[in-house]
């Protein structure tokens, strides 16, 4: 999963008050097990300790999560004897795409990485650490889910199971590449510890399909947009990981194509009024979380020459257009009212964060949060109730990467 999902896989919360690394070529190598922000990480690095920082992650609605599902129901959905809607020929064609493994030799590092990391100083350095940490966690979350699905579906539907296994290969490759990036900053995530220590969020299979499809597609548009921007503006190419985004995002797109095929194989998830409501709900969840997250870390986007809100709206609009090919209803994100409400939510979220940073006792903080949470919920509901765009088709064409590559 590419994006920080609620991204995606999903969704990270970046601290706006993290400390700055010292400029002593940044201390010794530190293994990071878990952190709510990189604050404890920075302290550990500053002390030069080799022992892992063992702080608990601060779980919020915007935090990257690990997911599990009803595997028995998933097996029933892909049992060819039960589900006659399964288009095995389409799955077999997709399997050949994954077996080709276009990026098998793509993620090869060079000395540019460490040299570039050593030149990144101050707040931007900390922002990069947080970006790599959260992105790695999100990709690793996808690896764990896909790996288990590949294992559980092996007898029920070997073709679908193998695709899940190959997607877990892609996600593991991405997570490993990001973790190697952290090593350029003398840090690393202890992914084995994360596997055992993190709490897992349960989603029913149909919710996994909606959310993961969106996560992969929004990941595609995020990566390709950054790649194209930096190709046109090389003066902002401050770290070489972005040079890998063109091929990387094609992995995300193939993953999204597969989930599109999974949804087509389950028309009950696309062809009734409940499907329209859930489709809009997941669109809203993914778009809002990305927007709120990114507006908390505008320094990252400014550091690579992007306007955060313009970037996010471009990604949301393009993802929505892509999603409209398969979801029965999507949000009207090109209506100016949609962005106005997003910006209002950003203001409320900033006030919530400010309350959390005060020295008030917990009771007073919670009392101050109540009207703000109510205001945020009101904006979310109003956005959800905006007239939607009827879209999608169960007869969605064969996976069509040529439309977006």
């Amino acid at each position: 999963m590419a994006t920080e999902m609620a991204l995606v896989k999903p969704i990270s919360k970046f601290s706006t008050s993290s400390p700055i690394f010292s400029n002593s070529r940044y201390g010794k190598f530190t293994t990071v097990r878990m952190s709510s922000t990189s604050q404890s990480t920075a302290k550990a690095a500053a002390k030069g300790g080799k022992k892992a920082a063992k702080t608990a992650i601060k779980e919020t609605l915007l935090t990257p999560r690990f997911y599990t599902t009803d595997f028995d129901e998933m097996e029933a959905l892909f049992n060819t004897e039960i589900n006659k809607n399964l288009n095995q020929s389409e799955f077999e064609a997709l399997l050949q795409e994954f077996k080709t493994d276009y990026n098998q030799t793509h993620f090869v590092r060079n000395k540019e990485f460490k040299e570039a990391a050593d030149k990144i100083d101050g707040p931007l350095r900390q922002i990069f650490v947080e970006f790599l940490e959260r992105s790695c966690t999100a990709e690793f979350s996808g690896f764990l889910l896909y790996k288990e699905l590949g294992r559980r579906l092996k007898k029920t539907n070997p073709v679908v199971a193998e695709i899940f296994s190959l997607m877990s290969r892609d996600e593991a490759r991405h997570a490993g590449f990001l973790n190697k990036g952290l090593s350029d900053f003398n840090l690393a995530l202890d992914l084995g510890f994360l596997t055992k220590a993190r709490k897992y969020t349960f989603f029913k299979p149909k919710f996994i399909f909606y959310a993961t499809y969106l996560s992969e597609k929004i990941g595609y548009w995020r990566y390709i947009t950054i790649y194209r921007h930096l190709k046109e503006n090389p003066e902002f190419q401050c770290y070489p990981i972005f040079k890998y985004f063109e091929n990387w995002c094609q992995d995300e797109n193939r993953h999204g194509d597969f989930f599109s095929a999974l949804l087509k194989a389950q028309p009950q998830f696309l062809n009734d009024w409940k499907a329209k409501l859930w489709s809009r709900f997941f669109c809203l969840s993914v778009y809002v979380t990305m927007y709120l997250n990114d507006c908390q870390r505008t320094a990252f986007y400014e550091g690579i020459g992007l306007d955060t809100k313009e970037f996010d709206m471009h990604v949301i609009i393009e993802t929505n257009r892509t999603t409209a090919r398969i979801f029965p209803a999507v949000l009207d994100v090109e209506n100016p009212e949609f962005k106005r409400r997003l910006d209002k939510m950003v203001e409320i979220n900033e006030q919530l964060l400010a309350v959390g940073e005060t020295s008030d006792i917990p009771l007073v903080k919670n009392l101050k949060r109540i009207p703000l949470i109510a205001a945020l919920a009101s904006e979310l509901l109003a956005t959800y109730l905006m007239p939607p765009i009827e879209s999608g088709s169960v007869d969605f064409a064969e996976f069509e990467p040529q439309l977006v590559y």
Side-chain angles (χ1 to χ4, degrees), residues 94 241 259 291 300 351:
L94 280 162
I241 199 169
F259 276 95
Y291 202 82
F300 174 80
Q351 293 175 52

Side-chain angles (χ1 to χ4, degrees), residues 74 78 205-213 259 262-263 269:
M74 195 72 81
F78 293 103
K206 69 176 180 180
F207 300 152
I208 290 286
F209 295 160
Y210 294 138
T212 309
Y213 172 84
F259 276 95
L262 295 182
L263 281 165
F269 297 160

Side-chain angles (χ1 to χ4, degrees), residues 37-54:
T37 70
S38 291
Q39 190 165 6
S40 57
T41 301
K43 290 178 180 177
K47 293 178 181 178
K50 293 183 180 179
K51 190 175 181 179
K54 299 180 181 179

Side-chain angles (χ1 to χ4, degrees), residues 247-402:
N247 287 44
W248 192 327
C249 73
Q250 291 176 11
D251 281 346
E252 310 301 329
N253 208 44
R254 278 186 286 272
H255 295 182
D257 290 336
F258 174 56
F259 276 95
S260 172
L262 295 182
L263 281 165
K264 283 189 294 176
Q266 312 296 335
Q268 71 275 20
F269 297 160
L270 295 172
N271 61 7
D272 62 13
W273 63 271
K274 289 183 289 185
K276 291 181 179 181
L277 294 178
W278 282 118
S279 294
R280 289 161 55 197
F281 171 81
F282 278 99
C283 283
L284 181 66
S285 298
V286 170
Y287 300 161
V288 169
T289 357
M290 183 187 75
Y291 202 82
L292 295 184
N293 267 328
D294 288 354
C295 286
Q296 288 182 45
R297 52 188 174 110
T298 56
F300 174 80
Y301 296 97
E302 291 170 358
I304 57 174
L306 284 167
D307 178 283
T308 306
K309 290 183 177 181
E310 288 182 5
F311 166 75
D312 273 17
M313 284 309 303
H314 170 76
V315 169
I316 287 171
I317 288 169
E318 294 298 341
T319 302
N320 206 57
R321 290 173 178 173
T322 302
T323 301
R325 299 174 189 155
I326 184 66
F327 278 21
V330 293
L331 302 175
D332 185 7
V333 300
E334 297 180 62
N335 183 334
E337 181 70 7
F338 178 79
K339 184 177 184 304
R340 189 194 71 75
R341 292 195 178 279
L342 283 183
D343 289 335
K344 182 63 177 176
M345 285 183 239
V346 169
E347 292 178 14
I348 298 169
N349 191 50
E350 288 173 349
Q351 293 175 52
L352 279 167
L353 290 172
V355 169
E357 292 172 359
T358 64
S359 57
D360 294 332
I361 61 173
L363 176 61
V364 173
K365 286 185 179 182
N366 289 334
L367 289 173
K368 289 182 177 179
R369 287 187 179 115
I370 290 173
L372 293 172
I373 292 172
L376 185 59
S378 176
E379 290 295 335
L380 283 166
L381 181 61
T383 308
Y384 181 76
L385 293 176
M386 287 176 61
I389 295 174
E390 300 288 325
S391 60
S393 171
V394 177
D395 299 321
F396 178 62
E398 302 295 316
F399 60 94
E400 38 190 335
Q402 71 277 10

